Amino acid sequence: MLGFQPPAIGEEEIAAVAETLRSGWLTTGPRAAELEGRMAEYLEAEHVLALASGTAALHLALVALGIGPGDEVITTPITWPATANVIVHTGATPVFVDVLEGDLNIDPALAAAAVTERTKAVLPVDLAGQPADLDPLLALGIPVVEDAAHAAESRYRGRKVGSIADVTCFSLYATKNIAAGEGGLISTNRDDVAQAVLDLRLMRRGDGSLYDIPVPGYKANLSDVLAAIALCQLDKVDRHTEIRHRQFAAYDEAVAELAGITPLARDDRDLHALHLYVVRVDAETAGATRDEYQRALAEENIATSIHFLPVHKLTYYRERFADQPPLPVAERAGDEVLSLPLSPAHSDDDIADVVAALRRVHERFAG
Ligand SMILES: Cc1ncc(COP(=O)(O)O)c(C=O)c1O
């Protein structure tokens, strides 16, 4: 089976982990601090804080902004459930609005229309690496917490993602462009948010063995073992981008010939992080549904994935927020999206194998 997103781990990461273990720092220490410093430079942001996961980053961002029961947070349904779950964890209510047809990112006009006096933040996602349209969201005058789990390398209209929103959250999960296995980052130019996240992620020790807590915090810090992996991945990010470019170009060329198979839109004004290659399968033109394509590709030993099923249709959200209005663009997309294998660990031949299999399957379904 050709893997969907195998990690691109080399001898550098293995050596860095061994060195970290020998150093005696298992938990947060000098490597986590080095990662924060280097990521702050990379993201062109004042503050970067290393955390246990992208989910923890999103959660602490909302808590740091004081969001809680009675508040509303506007977000997109086309995301990993964690984006919405953290809103629920604060006690606030997620308000899902529909997405744009082209890139499946949150529709800023619908976000604006959903604002009430209870709205305390808007939480867009940079799906697949395409930044959400941030300017109209920032113009709402409400804190923007950006889920940039897919967008470590992205720029929006020339500005680095990570330096634009009130808080930007990244993931270092195994499949991400900068992968540590698990981990997350918060970047912000707001001193108050950075200070709050510092107090929330781990108890800060005072002198000697004395300690005190200003807030009941969480345990959401990043271990140095994982930070060491992330540092190696950061060293390789430009090299990996080149490979991602080649893989995107090969897929673009292939799907241009396949009726009913259309990649998500990418905006030329922005820099795309090339994290996921998502196509939409239009069953009528492509001759079969997304699920049939996924099964047929699996029979060809090609693993694919789905980004994403609309969150508001998943059991918890469907039952808890039963009066959620339909979101037709997201709901249709949820039936059509299919992500093709993409990873710097894949060779050009691997990608050619995917293309050949996709052509065979398309020939069979669409004739
Ligand atoms: C869009 C999005 N948001 C948030 C997350 C959560 O990140 P983590 O797995 O690091 O908690 C992920 C995936 O992992 C994601 O894809």
Side-chain angles (χ1 to χ4, degrees), residues 85-344:
N85 293 348
V86 296
I87 300 171
V88 173
H89 290 156
T90 66
T93 302
V95 176
F96 297 104
V97 300
D98 214 346
V99 293
L100 296 165
E101 189 69 47
D103 61 14
L104 302 183
N105 278 332
I106 195 167
D107 183 329
L110 296 177
V115 173
T116 71
E117 72 278 5
R118 303 204 307 173
T119 307
K120 290 291 154 40
V122 49
L123 208 176
V125 173
D126 304 324
L127 185 68
Q130 168 60 49
D133 193 1
L134 295 171
D135 278 337
L137 298 177
L138 291 163
L140 297 174
I142 297 161
V144 174
V145 176
E146 184 179 358
D147 181 340
H150 300 179
E153 300 95 323
S154 299
R155 283 183 184 271
Y156 171 75
R157 314 290 195 263
R159 285 170 283 161
K160 191 82 190 74
V161 162
S163 69
I164 306 169
D166 290 75
V167 197
T168 312
C169 301
F170 298 90
S171 166
L172 305 173
Y173 178 66
T175 57
K176 299 297 188 275
N177 288 17
I178 298 173
E182 300 289 352
L185 302 165
I186 269 182
S187 82
T188 181
N189 292 331
R190 282 181 54 167
D191 296 343
D192 60 330
V193 170
Q195 198 55 44
V197 172
L198 261 179
D199 289 331
L200 289 166
R201 77 169 169 187
L202 180 69
M203 190 187 289
R204 265 189 299 160
R205 293 200 174 272
D207 292 334
S209 54
L210 297 178
Y211 53 81
D212 190 18
I213 55 159
V215 288
Y218 300 85
K219 188 75 198 296
N221 52 308
L222 182 72
S223 124
D224 257 27
V225 180
L226 299 175
I229 301 175
L231 281 164
C232 295
Q233 294 269 296
L234 180 57
D235 288 337
K236 297 176 179 182
V237 78
D238 290 341
R239 195 153 23 109
H240 285 172
T241 296
E242 277 174 38
I243 301 171
R244 291 175 188 282
H245 263 295
R246 281 211 305 280
Q247 298 180 349
F248 260 66
Y251 285 148
D252 277 345
E253 196 186 320
V255 301
E257 311 277 303
L258 302 177
I261 311 277
T262 316
L264 296 191
R266 309 196 291 273
D267 193 321
D268 287 343
R269 293 170 293 180
D270 303 327
L271 189 67
H272 194 287
L274 310 176
H275 175 59
L276 295 169
Y277 195 90
V278 180
V279 294
R280 292 181 67 164
V281 179
D282 173 37
E284 216 161 288
T285 323
T289 63
R290 181 272 317 279
D291 294 346
E292 288 166 325
Y293 266 84
Q294 183 167 44
R295 274 196 296 276
L297 285 167
E299 281 160 18
E300 298 264 356
N301 292 320
I302 307 293
T304 56
S305 191
I306 293 172
H307 300 86
F308 288 101
L309 298 174
V311 176
H312 68 291
K313 301 297 274 185
L314 302 177
T315 300
Y316 171 79
Y317 289 95
R318 213 181 49 235
E319 291 177 355
R320 165 96 188 265
F321 304 101
D323 53 357
Q324 165 75 47
L327 303 172
V329 181
E331 285 161 29
R332 175 141 182 260
D335 290 336
E336 293 186 347
V337 285
L338 185 67
S339 303
L340 302 180
L342 191 85
S343 164

Side-chain angles (χ1 to χ4, degrees), residues 60-74:
L60 267 52
L62 297 181
V63 176
L65 289 168
I67 289 164
D71 297 335
E72 293 175 355
V73 177
I74 296 170

